[in-house]
């Protein structure tokens, strides 16, 4: 299959992955969530399976086995929906932007936290995996403190999870959304690293890379 050619748009963006809003953008694009939640049908099947397991232990009825098979099929359909949603989102982003900056977040580890179920039902991990394989995408290290760093003075400011705005206690900088600020910091850091990488190359290497 021939490699897809994208039309140049001269647009750049930083993307911050999060829990309240799964994708946060450094530009005017509104944040949005990309999770496919379990249906009531799936939740009802899960409750019946769990109740019978508690009641009967290792001995189960044929109805129990049929419910498990139905639940397995339902989870497979939900997984396919997440993959389809991820493909559409990645296709849209690569079509609209020439340069995308993301951070190497350990999204898989978020599943063990307070919002683990919400993260598990999202397609953030698939989106990140697909984006990182594109030549349009630059990934910065996960150690970069994108949520804490002040874009004005460079100081680090920790905020509790329930505080959704960003305030610098050193220079007074304020941003109405700490997630969007984080996306902007990711983009700034990526552009800085790309610029430094080009300066360290020889003229021949730089020309070849361009």
């Amino acid at each position: 299959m021939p490699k897809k050619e994208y039309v140049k748009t001269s647009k750049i963006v930083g993307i911050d992955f999060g829990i309240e809003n799964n994708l946060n953008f450094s530009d005017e694009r509104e944040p949005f969530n990309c999770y496919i939640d379990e249906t009531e049908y799936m939740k009802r099947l899960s409750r019946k399976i769990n109740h019978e397991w508690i009641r009967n232990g290792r001995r189960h009825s044929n109805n129990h086995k049929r419910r498990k098979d139905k639940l397995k099929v339902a989870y497979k359909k939900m997984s396919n929906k997440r993959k389809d949603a991820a493909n559409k989102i990645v296709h849209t982003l690569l079509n609209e932007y020439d340069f995308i900056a993301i951070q190497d977040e350990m999204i898989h580890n978020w599943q063990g936290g307070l919002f683990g179920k919400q993260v598990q039902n999202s397609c953030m991990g698939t989106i990140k995996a697909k984006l990182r394989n594109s030549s349009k995408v630059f990934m910065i290290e996960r150690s970069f403190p994108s949520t804490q760093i002040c874009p004005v003075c460079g100081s680090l400011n920790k905020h509790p999870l329930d505080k959704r705005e960003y305030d610098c206690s050193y220079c007074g900088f304020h941003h109405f959304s700490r997630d969007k600020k984080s996306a902007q910091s990711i983009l700034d850091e990526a552009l800085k690293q790309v610029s430094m990488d080009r300066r360290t190359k020889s003229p021949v290497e730089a020309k070849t890379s361009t």
Side-chain angles (χ1 to χ4, degrees):
M1 182 180 294
K3 192 173 181 180
K4 181 174 177 56
E5 295 292 334
Y6 293 99
V7 178
K8 288 187 176 297
T9 64
S10 300
K11 294 174 65 177
I12 62 176
V13 71
I15 301 177
D16 173 64
F17 294 101
I19 294 176
E20 182 179 22
N21 294 307
N22 296 157
L23 296 177
N24 303 278
F25 303 91
S26 60
D27 59 6
E28 68 281 356
R29 183 188 289 271
E30 291 294 321
F32 64 89
N33 291 311
C34 57
Y35 60 84
I36 308 296
D37 205 358
E38 296 178 354
T39 63
E40 287 300 321
Y41 170 73
M42 296 172 66
K43 293 177 182 177
R44 187 166 61 251
L45 278 178
S46 295
R47 286 195 295 267
K48 289 182 178 180
I49 291 171
N50 291 335
H51 289 164
E52 184 166 350
W53 180 269
I54 294 173
R55 186 170 59 249
N56 298 331
R58 293 182 179 275
R59 298 177 60 186
H60 302 298
S61 64
N62 289 331
N63 284 337
H64 177 81
K65 295 177 182 177
R66 280 193 288 269
R67 291 190 190 106
K68 288 183 67 176
D69 291 338
K70 289 180 180 178
L71 187 61
K72 187 182 296 184
V73 171
Y75 271 117
K76 180 65 176 177
K77 289 182 179 178
M78 188 175 75
S79 176
N80 290 337
K81 286 182 179 179
R82 285 203 299 265
K83 290 178 181 177
D84 183 60
N87 287 334
K88 290 177 179 177
I89 292 170
V90 170
H91 176 76
T92 299
L93 294 174
L94 294 179
N95 263 334
E96 292 191 15
Y97 298 101
D98 284 346
F99 182 83
I100 300 173
I102 62 175
Q103 189 163 11
D104 189 14
E105 301 278 9
M106 295 292 288
I107 297 175
H108 181 75
N109 291 350
W110 296 359
Q111 297 181 16
L114 182 62
F115 302 96
K117 196 71 172 179
Q118 184 175 338
V119 175
Q120 185 178 355
N121 290 339
S122 78
C123 51
M124 286 188 291
T126 306
I127 291 172
K128 175 194 166 187
K130 288 180 176 296
L131 284 177
R132 71 183 302 170
N133 291 327
S134 171
S135 59
K136 286 188 170 187
V137 178
F138 186 90
M139 180 180 291
I140 66 174
E141 294 293 329
R142 68 176 64 102
S143 58
F144 176 71
S146 58
T147 59
Q148 300 179 24
I149 192 167
C150 174
V152 176
C153 67
S155 59
L156 302 182
N157 297 268
K158 290 186 177 181
H159 293 71
L161 289 176
D162 58 347
K163 181 175 173 55
R164 305 317 304 168
E165 298 181 353
Y166 180 90
D167 291 290
C168 179
S169 57
Y170 296 89
C171 69
F173 171 79
H174 171 80
H175 198 290
F176 70 93
S177 169
R178 77 176 197 177
D179 294 329
K180 183 173 283 291
K181 195 282 313 174
S182 179
Q184 292 170 349
S185 296
I186 290 171
L187 177 60
D188 291 342
E189 179 64 17
L191 292 174
K192 186 188 303 181
Q193 291 186 22
V194 169
S195 177
M196 291 176 62
D197 182 56
R198 287 177 178 172
R199 285 201 300 269
T200 56
K201 288 181 178 178
S202 67
V204 175
E205 290 175 325
K207 186 175 181 181
T208 304
S209 174
T210 304

